[in-house]
Amino acid sequence: MVFAVSPTVTEAMPLKTLTVHEIYCPPSAASSSGRVVPIKHDNNVDFGAEVYGIDLNNFTSADFALISDALHRHKLLVFKEQPEMLTPQQQYRLTSCFDPDEKTGGFAHGADPVLYTDKDVTIYGLPNRPAINAQPQVHILGRGEVPTNHFDFPPGFKVKGIDHVDFHLPPHIPQAERDAGASRFYQWHWDGSLYKIPPPRVGCLLAVRTPKGPDVTVHWGDGTGRTMKIAPGATAMVAGSRALELLDPELRETVLYSRIEYAPHAFQWMSTARSTQLGHLIETEGREMPLDKLSPWSKDNICVYPMVWTNPVTGEKSLQVHGQGALKLYLKSSPVGDETVVTDLKEVRAFMNRIMSPVLAPDNIYAHPHKEQDVILWYNRALWHSITEFPESYGPRIMHQCNVAASDHPSA
């Protein structure tokens, strides 16, 4: 198994897969040399910071203390000037250190199926999310051909990219316009399976290859005519705290005491349906996979989460909802008020649109421009994010992502 240690991904080194029992032991140190610099934005975004002076391949306990505090306060950290590419083992270690009570070390979406096998090599995962054998909780996301000699991947191995034509309700952006830089938000979400497995506390992305070309223009496609210029392949993000702040007082009071029931095997359930063009909801067309046709499921494993989650360090409250996976709503306007159960999907989605759409405006969105060898770490229980499309002519986008299931489900 090999891993390159430079942006050219040509040098290699042997690696050993970390187990869950080996991850909570960063070397001790009296202090950290890390420096946290808040990102300055030209809109209403108030989260994000860049971190300098910490080598993530060799972070210490003091470094992690600084990282953990900074992440909970800034919600997004961008690690700059990394001397070498972050190894999958260290990416897993960094991500897992945020939840020392988690004992299984499992991928946040469950076990991966076999994707590819040839002679002595077996690759697990999905076409758009193959796992790295050196550390199976780390997956490759993006689109295009992986670098030469990239772990166990065979020559010419390509990662399947997302395509709004396959998922969004038409009309779709014409191919000629897409080739010229027209883009879409694919799916606004926080990471998690929405069934049985607790969602990760944090997400982590390493940029191995980034697309090269002019900025693209994201089109809302919702009839408003809104657009936004962003770097190609950027990850778009909004803060759940800002989403909560933008609601009118009555609606804000309702979401504070209300819950969402997510569909069993939610991504399988929505796989036959179509998304709105903004990527925040499923269009109500009766195309969802019937519950009795899903993989086996039990009521005990259905996830029912509060709409508002609390930051354990700062106490800040965030509206954390996954509009596409919502099946039922349990609405209350006060702690002791009556609870109204909403089961009609059209009504469920109308309510989700009311609480999600206000924040999905250019003034509230940060589109992170990934730079090769940089690492981003985000607090998955306070931000929503979406991948964005870019012209194929810009080249591959190869990212290493680590998601580890949490030890607990979120609470208010």
Side-chain angles (χ1 to χ4, degrees), residues 85-108:
M85 283 279 187
L86 179 63
T87 68
Q89 286 83 355
Q90 283 296 104
Q91 190 171 4
Y92 175 55
R93 186 192 298 271
L94 173 65
T95 306
S96 298
C97 278
F98 281 91
D99 194 356
D101 293 328
E102 210 291 312
K103 303 303 182 187
T104 66
F107 172 48

Side-chain angles (χ1 to χ4, degrees), residues 36-38 46-49 69-77 383:
V36 179
V37 180
D46 63 355
F47 62 87
D69 183 74
L71 183 69
H72 284 92
R73 297 183 187 283
H74 295 282
K75 292 173 274 198
L76 169 71
L77 300 180
L383 296 179

Side-chain angles (χ1 to χ4, degrees), residues 204-247:
C204 185
L205 271 179
L206 160 69
V208 177
R209 286 283 186 269
T210 57
K212 308 297 190 294
D215 285 355
V216 301
T217 302
V218 179
H219 294 257
W220 261 240
D222 62 354
T224 63
R226 285 183 292 189
T227 63
M228 182 179 184
K229 286 276 191 182
I230 66 170
T235 301
M237 297 187 171
V238 296
S241 57
R242 177 65 175 162
L244 183 62
E245 176 187 330
L246 289 173
L247 300 182

Side-chain angles (χ1 to χ4, degrees), residues 240-259:
S241 57
R242 177 65 175 162
L244 183 62
E245 176 187 330
L246 289 173
L247 300 182
D248 65 66
E250 183 178 347
L251 191 53
R252 190 182 311 124
E253 195 74 7
T254 296
V255 299
L256 282 170
Y257 305 110
S258 298
R259 301 174 296 151

Side-chain angles (χ1 to χ4, degrees), residues 174-412:
Q175 189 61 52
E177 295 180 22
R178 299 173 68 192
D179 292 342
S183 180
R184 280 269 177 88
F185 298 120
Y186 185 72
Q187 182 186 57
W188 285 103
H189 66 288
W190 38 263
D191 289 332
S193 71
L194 305 180
Y195 174 74
K196 186 178 180 178
I197 304 171
R201 297 185 187 282
V202 301
C204 185
L205 271 179
L206 160 69
V208 177
R209 286 283 186 269
T210 57
K212 308 297 190 294
D215 285 355
V216 301
T217 302
V218 179
H219 294 257
W220 261 240
D222 62 354
T224 63
R226 285 183 292 189
T227 63
M228 182 179 184
K229 286 276 191 182
I230 66 170
T235 301
M237 297 187 171
V238 296
S241 57
R242 177 65 175 162
L244 183 62
E245 176 187 330
L246 289 173
L247 300 182
D248 65 66
E250 183 178 347
L251 191 53
R252 190 182 311 124
E253 195 74 7
T254 296
V255 299
L256 282 170
Y257 305 110
S258 298
R259 301 174 296 151
I260 300 176
E261 179 176 321
Y262 292 101
H265 299 300
F267 294 96
Q268 184 182 12
W269 173 73
M270 72 176 75
S271 65
T272 52
R274 298 188 292 187
S275 168
T276 58
Q277 294 170 4
L278 183 53
H280 67 316
L281 299 171
I282 294 296
E283 192 70 23
T284 307
E285 304 175 282
R287 296 167 62 120
E288 297 82 8
M289 188 176 292
L291 298 183
D292 61 358
K293 301 296 184 184
L294 298 174
S295 298
W297 58 274
S298 69
K299 290 184 178 180
D300 291 344
N301 289 322
I302 286 178
C303 292
V304 182
Y305 293 152
M307 295 183 181
V308 175
W309 304 354
T310 302
N311 185 314
V313 172
T314 67
E316 182 181 60
K317 293 187 179 299
S318 297
L319 180 68
Q320 288 298 105
V321 296
H322 196 304
Q324 294 184 343
L327 180 66
K328 296 180 184 179
L329 302 178
Y330 300 87
L331 303 180
K332 291 179 68 173
S333 58
S334 70
V336 296
D338 293 334
E339 187 172 71
T340 300
V341 182
V342 182
T343 59
D344 180 271
L345 277 176
K346 198 170 188 67
E347 293 182 28
V348 168
R349 288 163 181 162
F351 184 88
M352 298 303 290
N353 185 57
R354 285 181 64 200
I355 65 176
M356 293 183 72
S357 60
V359 77
L360 297 177
D363 277 353
N364 305 312
I365 295 171
Y366 171 60
H368 178 69
H370 295 282
K371 304 297 183 184
E372 291 178 4
Q373 208 155 302
D374 281 359
V375 176
I376 70 168
L377 190 69
W378 68 93
Y379 188 43
N380 188 51
R381 298 188 173 193
L383 296 179
W384 318 349
H385 64 275
S386 174
I387 194 171
T388 56
E389 297 181 326
F390 60 92
E392 192 167 355
S393 62
Y394 286 15
R397 179 185 190 266
I398 302 297
M399 315 292 289
H400 289 184
Q401 183 184 42
C402 186
N403 274 339
V404 181
S407 59
D408 63 346
H409 291 278
S411 56

